[in-house]
Amino acid sequence: MEQKRVECPLDIEELGRSTWSFLHTMAAYFPSKPSQQQQSEVHHFITTFSKFYPCPHCADDFRERLKEHPVDASSRRNLSRWMCEEHNVVNRKLGKKEFNCELVDQRWRDGWKDGSCD
Ligand SMILES: Cc1cc2nc3c(=O)[nH]c(=O)nc-3n(C[C@H](O)[C@H](O)[C@H](O)COP(=O)(O)OP(=O)(O)OC[C@H]3O[C@@H](n4cnc5c(N)ncnc54)[C@H](O)[C@@H]3O)c2cc1C
């Protein structure tokens, strides 16, 4: 059996998984009532991120989507939902299953209600 590669440069899937983990977790811990400055900073962060994400065609599409579906950083809940919807656009594009955005806090912050993450 072929041995699993370790500590190699990330491919597009690994990069995507790591990046979504970070983005959803960042949204999960965003303030519930962000100041104007926090809203503007997260907006700036995502805009800048979209210019440097190291998968050029993913970044191009992401920048296009930001024009039609701007970041909603008005609260933790809204940012988490916005991120979930963005991820679902990519899921659809890649033919993957959509994620139920009602479950985003269980997945990225609180753990599943059945206690499997405790
Ligand atoms: C901004 C961005 C744009 C990308 N664009 C492309 C692209 O154009 N082409 C391409 O081939 N790849 C792209 N990717 C990578 C792609 O989205 C996947 O990360 C990659 O294909 C690996 O998929 P996966 O099935 O392992 O799980 P991922 O899609 O990486 O998901 C990881 C985990 O997140 C959870 N999850 C899934 N959907 C959601 C959701 N909607 N909300 C919250 N949690 C969710 C699930 O538990 C899942 O196991 C992009 C990644 C990012 C961050």
Side-chain angles (χ1 to χ4, degrees):
M1 204 170 88
E2 204 176 305
Q3 240 187 330
K4 176 129 178 52
R5 296 176 306 159
V6 286
E7 301 207 339
C8 296
L10 302 190
D11 62 22
I12 193 170
E13 278 84 21
E14 292 165 326
L15 174 67
R17 274 191 291 277
S18 304
T19 305
W20 285 124
S21 297
F22 165 68
L23 290 173
H24 289 298
T25 306
M26 178 181 77
Y29 288 92
F30 192 65
S32 300
K33 292 185 180 163
S35 64
Q36 277 304 326
Q37 186 176 346
Q38 286 169 322
Q39 293 183 50
S40 142
E41 283 174 349
V42 93
H43 203 279
H44 184 69
F45 170 78
I46 290 172
T47 305
T48 304
F49 159 87
S50 77
K51 295 180 185 167
F52 293 100
Y53 186 63
C55 161
H57 74 271
C58 309
D60 287 348
D61 284 2
F62 190 56
R63 279 197 305 280
E64 280 308 305
R65 286 197 302 278
L66 285 177
K67 292 183 199 156
E68 297 154 21
H69 188 215
V71 181
D72 183 349
S74 53
S75 67
R76 184 192 80 71
R77 179 179 289 269
N78 290 346
L79 185 61
S80 295
R81 177 162 281 271
W82 180 86
M83 201 66 81
C84 182
E85 287 167 358
E86 277 304 308
H87 194 163
N88 272 339
V89 175
V90 181
N91 287 343
R92 282 198 293 277
K93 176 173 129 183
L94 300 180
K96 293 178 198 264
K97 230 174 112 212
E98 282 193 42
F99 186 89
N100 177 354
C101 292
E102 296 298 319
L103 302 179
V104 84
D105 278 350
Q106 287 188 57
R107 172 64 178 93
W108 296 107
R109 197 185 62 157
D110 302 332
W112 300 110
K113 283 211 171 114
D114 65 6
S116 54
C117 300
D118 297 348

